[in-house]
Every structure is written in structure tokens, then in C-alpha cells.
Amino acid sequence: MDQDLSRIGVSLPENLLGKFDEIITKRGYSSRSEGIRDAIRGYIRYYDWMSEVKGERIGILSLTYDHSQRGLVTSLMDLEHEFTTITRSSVHIHISHDECMEVILLSGEGKDVRAIAERVMALKGVKNVKLTTIRPGQEV
Ligand code: NI
């Protein structure tokens, strides 16, 4: 059944839109709108999945970020210190002049694992955040 459609206007950096258009062309979407609807569905699914992260968890949080973004390096460090009870280790890779990658290994209560991931995602200058979690002692 067709649902009522709302029309929205979104401002995007040109390079972001360019990359998005490249992907939807490659994937054969009939329109930009269809690609955006699919991306939003994926975002919602990921959020729903995140909401289910609870109980004892091992977490792998990976992110890339622009280290020239003012205050970002300090904010990330502050977060790792704030969540010191679950932060076990981190690896930092300098990808290019401005871009860094960090992988943070977490272990503890799922809601804390989720909380640090959400806080990292909300920081300006953070580009790609992925959280993978494992329940200790359980087969996937
Ligand atoms: Ni770096």
C-alpha cells in the first residue's frame, strides 16, 4: 500500500552528494529519492539494532575522523577516559595527512558499550563509525 509521501529539502556537501549519486547509479536505483529512502531505512535498522545491545558484551568500535577538526582529538580522549571501566585497548592508524582511524576494544555492560558508540557518532568530524558486539560465551 502506498503511504503518503513527505517532501523534504536537505543541504549536503557537494562531495558527499557526488559519492552518494555514484553509488546509487552503480546499484541501479531508479532515483535519488529511492536511494535516500533506502539509506534512511538502513540508518533506522542500525539504530534499532543498537537499542538491543545490552547485557555483557565485547565491543569493537571503529571510526575514522578528521584530526584537524578543532577539539575532536581531545573530545575522543575524554570519552575514552569517561568510559575507562569498559575501554580495554585502542589502536590508532594515521591514514593520511588529516585522516585518522581508531579501533577501540570494549568489554562490559552493553548499554555502556552502546553509549560510548553513540557519543562518538555525535562528534563533529567523525566520519565512519561501526560498532560490532559479541556476547561472551555465546555462539553467533
Ligand atoms: Ni592519526
Side-chain angles (χ1 to χ4, degrees):
M1 192 179 77
D2 277 352
Q3 286 176 303
D4 290 339
L5 296 176
S6 299
R7 191 171 283 274
I8 57 163
V10 183
S11 305
L12 295 172
E14 232 169 73
N15 65 339
L16 186 62
L17 186 59
K19 280 182 189 159
F20 185 74
D21 282 345
E22 246 174 64
I23 293 168
I24 61 175
T25 303
K26 273 189 203 153
R27 298 189 67 184
Y29 282 95
S30 56
S31 68
R32 193 185 261 167
S33 289
E34 190 48 46
I36 290 170
R37 282 194 283 271
D38 210 25
I40 292 174
R41 282 184 205 110
Y43 182 86
I44 292 169
R45 270 198 305 275
Y46 189 67
Y47 181 83
D48 285 347
W49 173 83
M50 288 270 286
S51 309
E52 293 302 308
V53 176
K54 46 183 92 131
E56 186 66 18
R57 297 287 179 136
I58 308 289
I60 305 155
L61 180 64
S62 63
L63 57 138
T64 62
Y65 63 92
D66 180 351
H67 86 172
S68 65
Q69 176 73 45
R70 185 186 287 268
L72 179 54
V73 174
T74 311
S75 299
L76 279 170
M77 196 59 74
D78 287 349
L79 265 180
E80 289 186 45
H81 280 277
E82 187 183 329
F83 287 87
T84 187
T85 55
I86 61 162
T87 304
R88 296 286 176 261
S89 182
S90 66
V91 181
H92 184 105
I93 303 159
H94 311 297
I95 301 173
S96 64
H97 187 269
D98 291 326
E99 205 176 8
C100 298
M101 178 176 186
E102 196 141 316
V103 179
I104 305 168
L105 301 176
L106 306 159
S107 169
E109 173 52 43
K111 69 172 170 41
D112 296 330
V113 169
R114 194 175 77 219
I116 187 171
E118 283 171 347
R119 296 272 297 279
V120 166
M121 275 177 200
L123 294 173
K124 193 170 184 213
V126 171
K127 280 175 256 176
N128 300 284
V129 184
K130 267 271 174 335
L131 175 67
T132 308
T133 73
I134 296 161
R135 284 177 215 255
Q138 279 199 13
E139 289 181 31
V140 180

